[in-house]
C-alpha cells in the first residue's frame, strides 16, 4: 500500500467511499473545492485501487484539523486509516502544528475508540453539530513539540 497525494481522477472513487461511509456525504463539488483550496488530501492505494482517503488542513496558526477520513469497508481494520492519519500527522508536524482536532459523531463509538488508539483525546461535546441535529465529539491530539503538560493528569 502506498499513500500519495490525491489527484482529480481519484474523485470518483473517493466519492464512492464517502457515500458508503457517511450518512451525510460531502457532495462532489465540495470535495473538489476543498482540494482546489489547497487542503491536504491523501489517498491510500494498493494495486491501483483507492482504499481510503484523508482530508486535512491548517485551521489556525498552530492547529491542524482533519476534515474527513474514510476507508472502504472491505479494507477497514487493515491499518489503512491509521497510516493515513499518521501521514497527515507527519505533514502537520513539519508545519510546526501543536495539535490536531477533529469532530466525530458522538454516537460513533467505534470511530472514537479508533481515534483514541491514535492518541486523540475527548475535548468536548458540540451539541447539534450535524445537519440532522446529532452531537459531535471534538477530539484533540497534541503533536511533537507540544508541552507534555498540555493535558492535565
Amino acid at each position: 500500500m502506498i499513500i500519495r497525494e490525491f489527484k482529480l481522477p481519484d474523485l470518483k472513487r473517493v466519492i464512492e467511499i464517502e457515500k458508503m461511509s457517511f450518512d451525510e456525504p460531502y457532495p462532489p463539488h465540495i470535495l473538489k473545492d476543498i482540494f482546489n483550496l489547497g487542503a491536504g488530501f491523501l489517498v491510500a492505494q494498493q494495486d491501483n485501487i483507492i482504499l481510503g482517503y484523508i482530508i486535512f488542513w491548517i485551521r489556525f496558526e498552530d492547529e491542524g484539523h482533519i476534515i474527513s477520513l474514510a476507508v472502504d469497508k472491505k479494507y477497514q481494520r487493515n491499518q489503512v486509516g491509521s497510516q493515513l492519519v499518521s501521514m497527515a500527522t507527519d505533514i502537520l508536524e513539519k508545519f510546526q502544528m501543536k495539535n490536531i482536532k477533529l469532530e466525530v459523531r458522538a454516537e460513533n463509538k467505534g470511530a472514537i475508540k479508533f481515534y483514541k488508539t491514535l492518541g486523540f483525546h475527548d475535548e468536548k461535546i458540540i451539541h447539534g453539530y450535524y445537519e440532522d441535529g446529532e452531537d459531535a465529539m471534538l477530539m484533540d491530539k497534541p503533536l511533537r513539540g507540544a508541552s507534555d503538560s498540555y493535558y492535565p493528569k
Side-chain angles (χ1 to χ4, degrees):
M1 178 177 68
I2 62 165
I3 296 178
R4 63 168 176 78
E5 289 186 18
F6 167 88
K7 298 173 189 157
L8 280 177
D10 301 327
L11 186 60
K12 182 179 178 188
R13 177 69 175 136
V14 166
I15 290 165
E16 289 173 4
I17 296 169
E18 178 83 5
K19 286 180 179 176
M20 77 172 65
S21 302
F22 301 110
D23 291 336
E24 297 176 11
Y26 284 116
H29 74 276
I30 296 290
L31 293 170
K32 196 172 178 181
D33 288 349
I34 291 170
F35 170 71
N36 288 333
L37 286 171
F41 201 148
L42 303 173
V43 296
Q45 177 181 323
Q46 185 172 339
D47 300 326
N48 292 320
I49 299 169
I50 304 294
L51 311 179
Y53 68 90
I54 188 167
I55 306 170
F56 59 97
W57 61 10
I58 295 171
R59 185 158 59 178
F60 300 115
E61 184 178 309
D62 60 356
E63 179 183 292
H65 185 252
I66 294 177
I67 299 168
S68 189
L69 170 69
V71 175
D72 183 313
K73 292 186 185 314
K74 292 182 285 198
Y75 302 100
Q76 290 178 356
R77 305 209 187 310
N78 289 305
Q79 301 296 310
V80 177
S82 300
Q83 289 186 41
L84 285 163
V85 172
S86 178
M87 180 71 76
T89 299
D90 290 348
I91 291 168
L92 289 167
E93 284 178 333
K94 286 178 185 169
F95 284 96
Q96 301 178 341
M97 298 297 102
K98 292 189 172 127
N99 64 320
I100 304 174
K101 294 193 180 203
L102 60 87
E103 295 84 17
V104 61
R105 287 184 181 268
E107 298 301 316
N108 191 343
K109 303 303 180 196
I112 291 170
K113 182 178 178 183
F114 165 75
Y115 287 118
K116 285 183 176 183
T117 66
L118 299 178
F120 285 83
H121 306 270
D122 296 347
E123 186 171 303
K124 68 178 181 179
I125 295 283
I126 304 172
H127 297 287
Y129 180 82
Y130 293 98
E131 284 186 24
D132 62 5
E134 190 174 333
D135 297 342
M137 173 63 71
L138 178 64
M139 300 187 79
D140 183 70
K141 176 182 178 173
L143 298 178
R144 273 182 266 155
S147 169
D148 289 336
S149 63
Y150 189 80
Y151 289 100
K153 303 279 187 241

